[in-house]
Amino acid sequence: IVKYETLRKHLQAFEKLKYPMAFEAITMRWYNEFLIYCIEQGLLTNTTYKLVAMMKAVMNFAYDRKYTRNLEFKKYQVKSETTEPVFLTMEELHAMEKIDSGSNTSLAISLQVFLVGCFTGQRVSDLLPMKKKDLKTANSEGWWEVSQIKTRKVVRVFIINKARKILDKYLS
């Protein structure tokens, strides 16, 4: 549902800027204009094609329920790029731990939040609302149950000592 909310927001913005939305207006011209809109918005190729794939699903749904007889959407090409995952090596992570931010408090906090994200595998959007009371401990193991903002899934995240030291310093 979250993905379709994203599609809805893009379609509404696209409609305001360029193209009226109606089932019969979803043509090859619409598709080409939508691709241009996505490029102008700075969307990556895989994001654009995920939106197109969802739009095709919406159009299939509408066609199956006889809301439209328009089949031009079937011609849309949905392809993605193979991407290389980007990650820090352990050496790079250790080097970041040693960075001296001096008196720049903002830089220090940003670096610490980034490191906790690396140590826990959690998004910044999930880390920022964290409170000290959210951290749990049993049998010398620390964890945090978080309802992830992006996926809305509740996950249990184990907190390693390096992350715990940072969290103890900054959480209230």
Side-chain angles (χ1 to χ4, degrees):
I1 292 178
V2 173
K3 291 178 183 177
Y4 284 97
E5 274 297 309
T6 301
L7 174 64
R8 183 182 63 79
K9 288 176 186 174
H10 281 292
L11 291 176
Q12 286 174 335
F14 178 61
E15 180 179 33
K16 284 181 185 175
L17 290 174
K18 293 200 175 206
Y19 224 91
M21 291 299 301
F23 288 129
E24 301 311 315
I26 310 299
T27 62
M28 284 306 292
R29 180 171 177 231
W30 179 93
Y31 169 75
N32 291 325
E33 291 286 333
F34 187 69
L35 292 181
I36 292 167
Y37 160 82
C38 290
I39 291 167
E40 289 171 349
Q41 296 302 305
L43 300 179
L44 299 175
T45 302
N46 287 349
T47 301
T48 298
Y49 286 104
K50 284 178 188 174
L51 292 172
V52 170
M54 286 188 287
M55 189 62 192
K56 285 181 76 166
V58 168
M59 290 299 292
N60 269 316
F61 180 89
Y63 183 81
D64 290 347
R65 284 154 185 78
K66 298 184 176 24
Y67 296 131
T68 185
R69 289 287 135 229
N70 178 2
L71 289 174
E72 271 199 68
F73 70 92
K74 297 269 187 190
K75 299 175 191 172
Y76 299 169
Q77 297 293 312
V78 179
K79 55 187 173 190
S80 61
E81 293 179 336
T82 303
T83 58
E84 283 293 317
V86 178
F87 56 90
L88 294 174
T89 64
M90 289 306 291
E91 292 79 23
E92 292 168 327
L93 187 57
H94 292 310
M96 290 191 76
E97 289 178 84
K98 295 175 184 171
I99 291 174
D100 179 14
S101 54
S103 62
N104 188 336
T105 308
S106 178
L107 176 62
I109 292 171
S110 297
L111 176 61
Q112 299 302 304
V113 169
F114 179 79
L115 288 171
V116 171
C118 290
F119 296 145
T120 62
Q122 296 305 297
R123 296 175 191 88
V124 171
S125 60
D126 296 323
L127 294 173
L128 292 178
M130 183 192 290
K131 303 281 184 234
K132 194 166 194 116
K133 66 179 176 60
D134 297 332
L135 298 176
K136 311 292 184 216
T137 306
N139 300 325
S140 73
E141 295 287 328
W143 76 91
W144 165 46
E145 280 193 357
V146 58
S147 177
Q148 294 180 323
I149 291 172
K150 182 176 179 180
T151 63
R152 295 193 174 118
K153 291 181 183 175
V154 175
V155 296
R156 180 177 279 194
V157 179
F158 290 93
I159 307 292
I160 65 171
N161 287 335
K162 288 181 180 184
R164 186 64 189 238
K165 285 179 185 174
I166 295 169
L167 293 170
D168 286 342
K169 180 177 177 181
Y170 288 101
L171 291 181
S172 55

